Amino acid sequence: QRAEKLLEKALKEKKGPPPKEKTGWLYSKLTLPADERERSELSKTDATEGDAGDETPTAVDRVEVATGTGFVIAPGIVLTNRHVAEMGTSFRIPDPAAPETEHAAKILAVCKDMDLAVLRCESLQAPAVVLKPITIQRGTDVIVLGFPLSDFLGRSIKAVRGAIFGFENDRQRDVVLYDAATNPGNSGGPVCDDTGSVIAVHFAGLDLAGHGKSSGKLGLGVPIERALPFIQENVPDVQTNGPEVKLAWPAVDQQVSRSTVLIRVLDRSIRFVVKPPTQKAMNPFEDRSCVVCKGRRQIACPVKGCYRGSVSDFENSYMVIEQGYGQTAFRFQKPKLASCPGCRGAGIVDCPHCRDGMDPRLK
């Protein structure tokens, strides 16, 4: 109830957009007061948690809270976005050559000025890409690799093509714009030219339809020319000189995809307990209840005009005017209530969005 009042106040003061009903469950980091920390398992979790990249098991359960993209720039070193690194406390990277094998990774460095971060993953054996710190020109064709919408499109690498059409600021040129249709999950992916070299790091996408403009999607990236000082400060042995032979786009995809990795972002799973302490603890991350029927398995009948299983209908009725010779009769439509054909009079139907009250899209 307090959260609802806070939301109403924020919307009234125009501090944010209204909620979208089609948006499902969202993950948010949690801050608890001292008394709640004592009643929950959070205090125990803090005491037993190990290093974010430690392979040894601990008493902390971790759940996947997001996914992102990165690419290898030196042996065991992965470049990605700062916002990907800040979403969790530990990271797992499936091996591009053997996705069933995962490697632990941890943060090596985070850039304060640009949306960049470096992860260390020593057991990862993927080859490094070639970085090209050049002044990017408008009209340059590019290909963007990554793992967009991995829960919806699958966890195989995807590639989209586009062209550089401008910069956020023509003088600074610290953000490059391209018309490749990127999606959430592409963050941290390589933006490559036709030689297979990485010329920018993707960090955001923009859907023009959501801004009242014509439909279309744009991508934003940090040019390698701007990112190189941060990279070399933390990873001195990056490769910046590569062949200038132009390749066909499928060949560029094949070459760079060997070095492009999915980053699974994990965070602690906090179990809440409420008084009395004998009550079973609940894990909020495991709530897969359908957001349409709220786990009830049934919803109100969606047939238009249905009210508690009945719909308005009409039947023929007759009225006679005057008596004896010359009497007149006329027909008219008389309203009546009939059983709704959609719910067969029940007023409710099985929820078409779930299975037994559970959302099948939430695993």
Side-chain angles (χ1 to χ4, degrees), residues 192-253:
C192 310
D193 65 4
D194 55 7
T195 68
S197 301
V198 179
I199 62 174
V201 184
H202 177 79
F203 71 88
L206 180 63
D207 190 347
L208 295 180
H211 292 264
K213 307 298 181 182
S214 59
S215 61
K217 289 188 175 182
L218 308 178
L220 292 77
V222 179
I224 293 298
E225 181 183 26
R226 292 292 183 180
L228 193 60
F230 164 73
I231 296 173
Q232 291 182 328
E233 179 182 356
N234 298 281
V235 189
D237 54 345
V238 294
Q239 185 178 357
T240 57
N241 295 318
E244 292 296 329
V245 179
K246 293 186 178 181
L247 304 173
W249 289 114
V252 174
D253 182 354

Tab-separated table of all heavy atoms in Angstrom, residues 192-253:
chain	number	residue	atom	x	y	z
A	192	CYS	N	31.558	-3.951	-35.438
A	192	CYS	CA	32.702	-4.268	-36.306
A	192	CYS	C	32.532	-3.674	-37.697
A	192	CYS	O	31.407	-3.535	-38.196
A	192	CYS	CB	32.861	-5.783	-36.429
A	192	CYS	SG	32.873	-6.654	-34.859
A	193	ASP	N	33.668	-3.368	-38.318
A	193	ASP	CA	33.645	-2.953	-39.716
A	193	ASP	C	33.868	-4.164	-40.606
A	193	ASP	O	33.930	-5.306	-40.135
A	193	ASP	CB	34.678	-1.853	-39.972
A	193	ASP	CG	36.111	-2.334	-39.788
A	193	ASP	OD1	36.331	-3.547	-39.537
A	193	ASP	OD2	37.037	-1.501	-39.886
A	194	ASP	N	34.017	-3.927	-41.918
A	194	ASP	CA	34.107	-5.051	-42.862
A	194	ASP	C	35.469	-5.720	-42.897
A	194	ASP	O	35.699	-6.614	-43.717
A	194	ASP	CB	33.706	-4.600	-44.274
A	194	ASP	CG	34.517	-3.410	-44.775
A	194	ASP	OD1	35.486	-3.010	-44.083
A	194	ASP	OD2	34.189	-2.872	-45.845
A	195	THR	N	36.402	-5.319	-42.024
A	195	THR	CA	37.667	-6.041	-41.908
A	195	THR	C	37.660	-7.003	-40.720
A	195	THR	O	38.643	-7.700	-40.486
A	195	THR	CB	38.845	-5.059	-41.743
A	195	THR	OG1	38.739	-4.404	-40.473
A	195	THR	CG2	38.868	-4.041	-42.863
A	196	GLY	N	36.569	-7.019	-39.966
A	196	GLY	CA	36.488	-7.873	-38.786
A	196	GLY	C	37.092	-7.240	-37.551
A	196	GLY	O	37.252	-7.916	-36.533
A	197	SER	N	37.410	-5.956	-37.597
A	197	SER	CA	37.959	-5.244	-36.446
A	197	SER	C	36.827	-4.542	-35.688
A	197	SER	O	35.840	-4.115	-36.284
A	197	SER	CB	38.995	-4.213	-36.887
A	197	SER	OG	40.059	-4.836	-37.586
A	198	VAL	N	37.001	-4.402	-34.377
A	198	VAL	CA	35.996	-3.749	-33.542
A	198	VAL	C	36.282	-2.260	-33.513
A	198	VAL	O	37.371	-1.829	-33.123
A	198	VAL	CB	36.004	-4.329	-32.113
A	198	VAL	CG1	34.964	-3.622	-31.254
A	198	VAL	CG2	35.731	-5.823	-32.143
A	199	ILE	N	35.301	-1.458	-33.918
A	199	ILE	CA	35.486	-0.011	-33.957
A	199	ILE	C	34.679	0.700	-32.868
A	199	ILE	O	34.866	1.896	-32.643
A	199	ILE	CB	35.118	0.567	-35.332
A	199	ILE	CG1	33.636	0.313	-35.651
A	199	ILE	CG2	36.009	-0.038	-36.420
A	199	ILE	CD1	33.169	0.985	-36.941
A	200	ALA	N	33.760	-0.026	-32.180
A	200	ALA	CA	32.970	0.590	-31.114
A	200	ALA	C	32.406	-0.501	-30.217
A	200	ALA	O	32.377	-1.682	-30.586
A	200	ALA	CB	31.842	1.450	-31.689
A	201	VAL	N	31.963	-0.085	-29.024
A	201	VAL	CA	31.328	-0.981	-28.060
A	201	VAL	C	29.878	-0.541	-27.898
A	201	VAL	O	29.609	0.586	-27.477
A	201	VAL	CB	32.039	-0.945	-26.685
A	201	VAL	CG1	31.402	-1.959	-25.731
A	201	VAL	CG2	33.528	-1.201	-26.840
A	202	HIS	N	28.950	-1.410	-28.238
A	202	HIS	CA	27.530	-1.063	-28.124
A	202	HIS	C	27.139	-0.925	-26.659
A	202	HIS	O	27.517	-1.737	-25.817
A	202	HIS	CB	26.680	-2.159	-28.781
A	202	HIS	CG	25.204	-1.920	-28.658
A	202	HIS	ND1	24.522	-1.043	-29.464
A	202	HIS	CD2	24.286	-2.432	-27.790
A	202	HIS	CE1	23.240	-1.028	-29.114
A	202	HIS	NE2	23.077	-1.857	-28.094
A	203	PHE	N	26.356	0.118	-26.333
A	203	PHE	CA	25.940	0.274	-24.938
A	203	PHE	C	24.466	0.614	-24.772
A	203	PHE	O	23.934	0.542	-23.666
A	203	PHE	CB	26.783	1.339	-24.222
A	203	PHE	CG	26.513	2.756	-24.644
A	203	PHE	CD1	25.517	3.508	-24.025
A	203	PHE	CD2	27.270	3.356	-25.640
A	203	PHE	CE1	25.278	4.821	-24.390
A	203	PHE	CE2	27.039	4.669	-26.020
A	203	PHE	CZ	26.033	5.404	-25.396
A	204	ALA	N	23.752	0.955	-25.847
A	204	ALA	CA	22.337	1.285	-25.690
A	204	ALA	C	21.635	1.199	-27.028
A	204	ALA	O	22.256	1.309	-28.094
A	204	ALA	CB	22.159	2.687	-25.092
A	205	GLY	N	20.337	0.987	-26.964
A	205	GLY	CA	19.487	0.998	-28.139
A	205	GLY	C	18.355	1.979	-27.937
A	205	GLY	O	17.954	2.269	-26.815
A	206	LEU	N	17.818	2.486	-29.012
A	206	LEU	CA	16.750	3.475	-28.948
A	206	LEU	C	15.644	3.062	-29.907
A	206	LEU	O	15.873	2.897	-31.101
A	206	LEU	CB	17.278	4.864	-29.316
A	206	LEU	CG	16.259	6.005	-29.297
A	206	LEU	CD1	15.712	6.214	-27.893
A	206	LEU	CD2	16.888	7.292	-29.814
A	207	ASP	N	14.430	2.859	-29.373
A	207	ASP	CA	13.267	2.525	-30.187
A	207	ASP	C	12.515	3.814	-30.496
A	207	ASP	O	11.925	4.431	-29.612
A	207	ASP	CB	12.369	1.543	-29.434
A	207	ASP	CG	11.274	0.961	-30.325
A	207	ASP	OD1	11.065	1.508	-31.424
A	207	ASP	OD2	10.651	-0.033	-29.927
A	208	LEU	N	12.538	4.218	-31.743
A	208	LEU	CA	11.927	5.497	-32.112
A	208	LEU	C	10.419	5.493	-31.929
A	208	LEU	O	9.817	6.530	-31.654
A	208	LEU	CB	12.262	5.822	-33.576
A	208	LEU	CG	13.742	6.057	-33.890
A	208	LEU	CD1	13.919	6.363	-35.362
A	208	LEU	CD2	14.298	7.190	-33.053
A	209	ALA	N	9.796	4.312	-32.054
A	209	ALA	CA	8.344	4.244	-31.899
A	209	ALA	C	7.918	4.654	-30.499
A	209	ALA	O	6.831	5.182	-30.301
A	209	ALA	CB	7.855	2.828	-32.212
A	210	GLY	N	8.755	4.400	-29.516
A	210	GLY	CA	8.429	4.765	-28.147
A	210	GLY	C	8.624	6.242	-27.858
A	210	GLY	O	8.334	6.708	-26.757
A	211	HIS	N	9.134	6.989	-28.825
A	211	HIS	CA	9.361	8.420	-28.634
A	211	HIS	C	8.477	9.248	-29.571
A	211	HIS	O	8.781	10.398	-29.862
A	211	HIS	CB	10.841	8.754	-28.879
A	211	HIS	CG	11.751	8.179	-27.847
A	211	HIS	ND1	12.190	8.888	-26.757
A	211	HIS	CD2	12.287	6.936	-27.716
A	211	HIS	CE1	12.968	8.120	-26.008
A	211	HIS	NE2	13.045	6.936	-26.577
A	212	GLY	N	7.413	8.632	-30.045
A	212	GLY	CA	6.474	9.353	-30.889
A	212	GLY	C	6.990	9.621	-32.287
A	212	GLY	O	6.433	10.449	-33.006
A	213	LYS	N	8.053	8.935	-32.695
A	213	LYS	CA	8.608	9.147	-34.030
A	213	LYS	C	8.217	7.972	-34.917
A	213	LYS	O	7.509	7.054	-34.526
A	213	LYS	CB	10.131	9.283	-33.956
A	213	LYS	CG	10.611	10.329	-32.968
A	213	LYS	CD	10.141	11.722	-33.319
A	213	LYS	CE	10.665	12.748	-32.325
A	213	LYS	NZ	10.187	14.099	-32.608
A	214	SER	N	8.728	7.973	-36.140
A	214	SER	CA	8.485	6.854	-37.040
A	214	SER	C	9.141	5.606	-36.483
A	214	SER	O	10.094	5.673	-35.715
A	214	SER	CB	9.045	7.173	-38.427
A	214	SER	OG	10.436	7.433	-38.350
A	215	SER	N	8.611	4.450	-36.852
A	215	SER	CA	9.131	3.199	-36.315
A	215	SER	C	10.573	2.985	-36.765
A	215	SER	O	10.987	3.413	-37.836
A	215	SER	CB	8.262	2.026	-36.777
A	215	SER	OG	8.265	1.937	-38.192
A	216	GLY	N	11.323	2.284	-35.950
A	216	GLY	CA	12.722	2.002	-36.248
A	216	GLY	C	13.549	1.966	-34.982
A	216	GLY	O	13.139	2.500	-33.950
A	217	LYS	N	14.694	1.308	-35.068
A	217	LYS	CA	15.563	1.202	-33.901
A	217	LYS	C	16.959	1.693	-34.254
A	217	LYS	O	17.439	1.484	-35.372
A	217	LYS	CB	15.628	-0.251	-33.418
A	217	LYS	CG	14.332	-0.724	-32.786
A	217	LYS	CD	14.502	-2.106	-32.154
A	217	LYS	CE	13.237	-2.510	-31.425
A	217	LYS	NZ	13.378	-3.817	-30.748
A	218	LEU	N	17.588	2.333	-33.279
A	218	LEU	CA	18.930	2.862	-33.443
A	218	LEU	C	19.837	2.265	-32.379
A	218	LEU	O	19.377	1.817	-31.331
A	218	LEU	CB	18.935	4.388	-33.330
A	218	LEU	CG	17.952	5.151	-34.221
A	218	LEU	CD1	18.054	6.641	-33.939
A	218	LEU	CD2	18.217	4.867	-35.680
A	219	GLY	N	21.124	2.257	-32.655
A	219	GLY	CA	22.100	1.782	-31.692
A	219	GLY	C	23.088	2.875	-31.338
A	219	GLY	O	23.370	3.775	-32.151
A	220	LEU	N	23.606	2.838	-30.101
A	220	LEU	CA	24.596	3.796	-29.629
A	220	LEU	C	25.814	3.034	-29.136
A	220	LEU	O	25.685	2.022	-28.431
A	220	LEU	CB	24.040	4.663	-28.498
A	220	LEU	CG	22.929	5.665	-28.816
A	220	LEU	CD1	21.571	4.973	-28.960
A	220	LEU	CD2	22.832	6.731	-27.726
A	221	GLY	N	26.990	3.513	-29.493
A	221	GLY	CA	28.216	2.836	-29.099
A	221	GLY	C	29.313	3.802	-28.695
A	221	GLY	O	29.296	4.989	-29.065
A	222	VAL	N	30.259	3.284	-27.907
A	222	VAL	CA	31.446	4.051	-27.524
A	222	VAL	C	32.549	3.720	-28.517
A	222	VAL	O	32.955	2.554	-28.628
A	222	VAL	CB	31.908	3.692	-26.099
A	222	VAL	CG1	33.168	4.483	-25.742
A	222	VAL	CG2	30.808	3.947	-25.088
A	223	PRO	N	33.068	4.699	-29.289
A	223	PRO	CA	34.143	4.407	-30.243
A	223	PRO	C	35.389	3.877	-29.539
A	223	PRO	O	35.739	4.328	-28.442
A	223	PRO	CB	34.414	5.760	-30.905
A	223	PRO	CG	33.162	6.562	-30.667
A	223	PRO	CD	32.637	6.103	-29.345
A	224	ILE	N	36.057	2.929	-30.145
A	224	ILE	CA	37.295	2.386	-29.584
A	224	ILE	C	38.338	3.485	-29.436
A	224	ILE	O	39.151	3.472	-28.496
A	224	ILE	CB	37.833	1.245	-30.471
A	224	ILE	CG1	36.880	0.052	-30.423
A	224	ILE	CG2	39.226	0.824	-30.037
A	224	ILE	CD1	36.723	-0.560	-29.050
A	225	GLU	N	38.309	4.481	-30.321
A	225	GLU	CA	39.246	5.598	-30.229
A	225	GLU	C	39.118	6.294	-28.870
A	225	GLU	O	40.130	6.695	-28.278
A	225	GLU	CB	38.969	6.588	-31.360
A	225	GLU	CG	39.911	7.779	-31.371
A	225	GLU	CD	39.557	8.779	-32.467
A	225	GLU	OE1	38.382	8.825	-32.868
A	225	GLU	OE2	40.468	9.513	-32.900
A	226	ARG	N	37.881	6.416	-28.367
A	226	ARG	CA	37.655	7.046	-27.071
A	226	ARG	C	37.896	6.073	-25.925
A	226	ARG	O	38.310	6.464	-24.829
A	226	ARG	CB	36.212	7.571	-27.005
A	226	ARG	CG	35.939	8.728	-27.948
A	226	ARG	CD	36.709	9.961	-27.503
A	226	ARG	NE	36.410	11.111	-28.353
A	226	ARG	CZ	36.948	12.304	-28.193
A	226	ARG	NH1	37.810	12.494	-27.201
A	226	ARG	NH2	36.654	13.299	-29.004
A	227	ALA	N	37.612	4.804	-26.152
A	227	ALA	CA	37.724	3.809	-25.083
A	227	ALA	C	39.145	3.313	-24.860
A	227	ALA	O	39.450	2.770	-23.788
A	227	ALA	CB	36.829	2.617	-25.404
A	228	LEU	N	40.026	3.500	-25.836
A	228	LEU	CA	41.356	2.894	-25.770
A	228	LEU	C	42.181	3.325	-24.550
A	228	LEU	O	42.849	2.472	-23.942
A	228	LEU	CB	42.129	3.182	-27.065
A	228	LEU	CG	43.403	2.347	-27.259
A	228	LEU	CD1	43.058	0.862	-27.299
A	228	LEU	CD2	44.131	2.763	-28.533
A	229	PRO	N	42.193	4.599	-24.132
A	229	PRO	CA	42.984	4.945	-22.938
A	229	PRO	C	42.558	4.156	-21.708
A	229	PRO	O	43.415	3.672	-20.947
A	229	PRO	CB	42.715	6.449	-22.768
A	229	PRO	CG	42.405	6.927	-24.142
A	229	PRO	CD	41.660	5.811	-24.794
A	230	PHE	N	41.270	3.997	-21.477
A	230	PHE	CA	40.800	3.188	-20.339
A	230	PHE	C	41.209	1.729	-20.510
A	230	PHE	O	41.649	1.083	-19.554
A	230	PHE	CB	39.279	3.301	-20.220
A	230	PHE	CG	38.657	2.241	-19.354
A	230	PHE	CD1	38.787	2.274	-17.976
A	230	PHE	CD2	37.958	1.185	-19.929
A	230	PHE	CE1	38.220	1.289	-17.174
A	230	PHE	CE2	37.386	0.194	-19.140
A	230	PHE	CZ	37.520	0.240	-17.757
A	231	ILE	N	41.074	1.211	-21.721
A	231	ILE	CA	41.415	-0.199	-21.963
A	231	ILE	C	42.895	-0.445	-21.718
A	231	ILE	O	43.283	-1.379	-21.000
A	231	ILE	CB	41.020	-0.603	-23.404
A	231	ILE	CG1	39.498	-0.507	-23.593
A	231	ILE	CG2	41.505	-2.008	-23.714
A	231	ILE	CD1	39.046	-0.727	-25.014
A	232	GLN	N	43.758	0.390	-22.297
A	232	GLN	CA	45.203	0.175	-22.163
A	232	GLN	C	45.699	0.422	-20.745
A	232	GLN	O	46.722	-0.152	-20.333
A	232	GLN	CB	45.942	1.075	-23.152
A	232	GLN	CG	45.748	0.674	-24.606
A	232	GLN	CD	46.518	1.543	-25.569
A	232	GLN	OE1	46.728	2.737	-25.313
A	232	GLN	NE2	46.936	0.975	-26.686
A	233	GLU	N	44.991	1.238	-19.977
A	233	GLU	CA	45.371	1.461	-18.588
A	233	GLU	C	45.217	0.189	-17.766
A	233	GLU	O	45.998	-0.057	-16.840
A	233	GLU	CB	44.514	2.572	-17.990
A	233	GLU	CG	44.818	2.871	-16.520
A	233	GLU	CD	43.913	3.933	-15.955
A	233	GLU	OE1	43.096	4.509	-16.709
A	233	GLU	OE2	44.005	4.208	-14.738
A	234	ASN	N	44.245	-0.635	-18.116
A	234	ASN	CA	43.968	-1.850	-17.354
A	234	ASN	C	44.400	-3.116	-18.074
A	234	ASN	O	44.622	-4.136	-17.431
A	234	ASN	CB	42.470	-1.934	-17.052
A	234	ASN	CG	41.978	-0.787	-16.197
A	234	ASN	OD1	42.150	-0.776	-14.988
A	234	ASN	ND2	41.367	0.223	-16.844
A	235	VAL	N	44.514	-3.051	-19.407
A	235	VAL	CA	44.927	-4.221	-20.195
A	235	VAL	C	45.960	-3.739	-21.209
A	235	VAL	O	45.612	-3.371	-22.341
A	235	VAL	CB	43.718	-4.865	-20.911
A	235	VAL	CG1	44.131	-6.199	-21.531
A	235	VAL	CG2	42.551	-5.056	-19.965
A	236	PRO	N	47.234	-3.729	-20.856
A	236	PRO	CA	48.256	-3.147	-21.738
A	236	PRO	C	48.460	-3.903	-23.041
A	236	PRO	O	48.870	-3.308	-24.036
A	236	PRO	CB	49.531	-3.195	-20.876
A	236	PRO	CG	49.047	-3.373	-19.476
A	236	PRO	CD	47.794	-4.151	-19.568
A	237	ASP	N	48.207	-5.224	-23.076
A	237	ASP	CA	48.574	-6.030	-24.240
A	237	ASP	C	47.420	-6.280	-25.196
A	237	ASP	O	47.261	-7.361	-25.746
A	237	ASP	CB	49.148	-7.377	-23.788
A	237	ASP	CG	48.204	-8.114	-22.836
A	237	ASP	OD1	47.275	-7.479	-22.326
A	237	ASP	OD2	48.409	-9.327	-22.628
A	238	VAL	N	46.570	-5.262	-25.434
A	238	VAL	CA	45.490	-5.435	-26.398
A	238	VAL	C	46.033	-5.288	-27.809
A	238	VAL	O	47.021	-4.583	-28.054
A	238	VAL	CB	44.360	-4.419	-26.161
A	238	VAL	CG1	43.671	-4.680	-24.840
A	238	VAL	CG2	44.890	-2.994	-26.221
A	239	GLN	N	45.376	-5.968	-28.750
A	239	GLN	CA	45.823	-5.948	-30.138
A	239	GLN	C	45.073	-4.860	-30.892
A	239	GLN	O	43.843	-4.876	-30.988
A	239	GLN	CB	45.564	-7.318	-30.790
A	239	GLN	CG	46.104	-7.436	-32.208
A	239	GLN	CD	45.870	-8.813	-32.792
A	239	GLN	OE1	45.355	-9.697	-32.106
A	239	GLN	NE2	46.237	-9.002	-34.050
A	240	THR	N	45.827	-3.899	-31.433
A	240	THR	CA	45.215	-2.782	-32.153
A	240	THR	C	45.620	-2.708	-33.611
A	240	THR	O	45.156	-1.836	-34.338
A	240	THR	CB	45.593	-1.450	-31.482
A	240	THR	OG1	47.026	-1.322	-31.444
A	240	THR	CG2	45.026	-1.367	-30.077
A	241	ASN	N	46.459	-3.603	-34.059
A	241	ASN	CA	46.879	-3.612	-35.457
A	241	ASN	C	46.459	-4.927	-36.094
A	241	ASN	O	46.927	-6.001	-35.708
A	241	ASN	CB	48.395	-3.446	-35.578
A	241	ASN	CG	48.851	-2.084	-35.084
A	241	ASN	OD1	48.215	-1.083	-35.372
A	241	ASN	ND2	49.940	-2.049	-34.332
A	242	GLY	N	45.574	-4.851	-37.051
A	242	GLY	CA	45.088	-6.049	-37.715
A	242	GLY	C	45.115	-5.891	-39.221
A	242	GLY	O	45.411	-4.812	-39.751
A	243	PRO	N	44.786	-6.948	-39.947
A	243	PRO	CA	44.766	-6.871	-41.413
A	243	PRO	C	43.675	-5.941	-41.901
A	243	PRO	O	42.621	-5.809	-41.276
A	243	PRO	CB	44.491	-8.326	-41.824
A	243	PRO	CG	43.805	-8.933	-40.643
A	243	PRO	CD	44.408	-8.275	-39.442
A	244	GLU	N	43.919	-5.276	-43.004
A	244	GLU	CA	42.955	-4.347	-43.582
A	244	GLU	C	42.220	-4.965	-44.762
A	244	GLU	O	41.627	-4.257	-45.571
A	244	GLU	CB	43.665	-3.071	-44.033
A	244	GLU	CG	44.207	-2.233	-42.891
A	244	GLU	CD	43.091	-1.693	-41.996
A	244	GLU	OE1	41.987	-1.446	-42.515
A	244	GLU	OE2	43.334	-1.525	-40.787
A	245	VAL	N	42.258	-6.282	-44.858
A	245	VAL	CA	41.579	-6.971	-45.954
A	245	VAL	C	40.078	-7.001	-45.676
A	245	VAL	O	39.643	-7.433	-44.608
A	245	VAL	CB	42.112	-8.409	-46.112
A	245	VAL	CG1	41.381	-9.124	-47.249
A	245	VAL	CG2	43.614	-8.374	-46.372
A	246	LYS	N	39.291	-6.547	-46.634
A	246	LYS	CA	37.847	-6.545	-46.458
A	246	LYS	C	37.304	-7.953	-46.617
A	246	LYS	O	37.724	-8.709	-47.491
A	246	LYS	CB	37.191	-5.603	-47.462
A	246	LYS	CG	37.525	-4.133	-47.228
A	246	LYS	CD	36.737	-3.228	-48.158
A	246	LYS	CE	37.041	-1.757	-47.866
A	246	LYS	NZ	36.266	-0.850	-48.748
A	247	LEU	N	36.334	-8.280	-45.767
A	247	LEU	CA	35.744	-9.607	-45.765
A	247	LEU	C	34.254	-9.505	-46.069
A	247	LEU	O	33.634	-8.455	-45.886
A	247	LEU	CB	35.935	-10.273	-44.389
A	247	LEU	CG	37.364	-10.396	-43.862
A	247	LEU	CD1	37.342	-10.907	-42.426
A	247	LEU	CD2	38.189	-11.310	-44.738
A	248	ALA	N	33.685	-10.617	-46.521
A	248	ALA	CA	32.230	-10.680	-46.646
A	248	ALA	C	31.634	-10.691	-45.239
A	248	ALA	O	32.261	-11.171	-44.289
A	248	ALA	CB	31.825	-11.928	-47.419
A	249	TRP	N	30.433	-10.167	-45.104
A	249	TRP	CA	29.848	-10.041	-43.769
A	249	TRP	C	29.686	-11.384	-43.060
A	249	TRP	O	29.912	-11.453	-41.840
A	249	TRP	CB	28.517	-9.295	-43.840
A	249	TRP	CG	28.700	-7.839	-44.154
A	249	TRP	CD1	28.303	-7.187	-45.271
A	249	TRP	CD2	29.348	-6.865	-43.331
A	249	TRP	NE1	28.666	-5.858	-45.210
A	249	TRP	CE2	29.307	-5.639	-44.016
A	249	TRP	CE3	29.964	-6.911	-42.087
A	249	TRP	CZ2	29.844	-4.469	-43.502
A	249	TRP	CZ3	30.499	-5.746	-41.561
A	249	TRP	CH2	30.441	-4.543	-42.269
A	250	PRO	N	29.303	-12.467	-43.731
A	250	PRO	CA	29.269	-13.754	-43.023
A	250	PRO	C	30.638	-14.165	-42.482
A	250	PRO	O	30.731	-14.781	-41.418
A	250	PRO	CB	28.764	-14.732	-44.084
A	250	PRO	CG	27.961	-13.890	-45.021
A	250	PRO	CD	28.698	-12.588	-45.081
A	251	ALA	N	31.713	-13.789	-43.201
A	251	ALA	CA	33.055	-14.103	-42.717
A	251	ALA	C	33.410	-13.264	-41.486
A	251	ALA	O	34.074	-13.745	-40.560
A	251	ALA	CB	34.075	-13.877	-43.834
A	252	VAL	N	32.980	-11.996	-41.472
A	252	VAL	CA	33.200	-11.154	-40.294
A	252	VAL	C	32.471	-11.752	-39.095
A	252	VAL	O	33.020	-11.845	-37.988
A	252	VAL	CB	32.709	-9.720	-40.563
A	252	VAL	CG1	32.799	-8.877	-39.290
A	252	VAL	CG2	33.522	-9.079	-41.684
A	253	ASP	N	31.228	-12.163	-39.299
A	253	ASP	CA	30.442	-12.786	-38.236
A	253	ASP	C	31.157	-14.022	-37.692
A	253	ASP	O	31.309	-14.192	-36.477
A	253	ASP	CB	29.060	-13.151	-38.792
A	253	ASP	CG	28.144	-13.762	-37.750
A	253	ASP	OD1	28.588	-14.017	-36.615
A	253	ASP	OD2	26.969	-13.997	-38.060
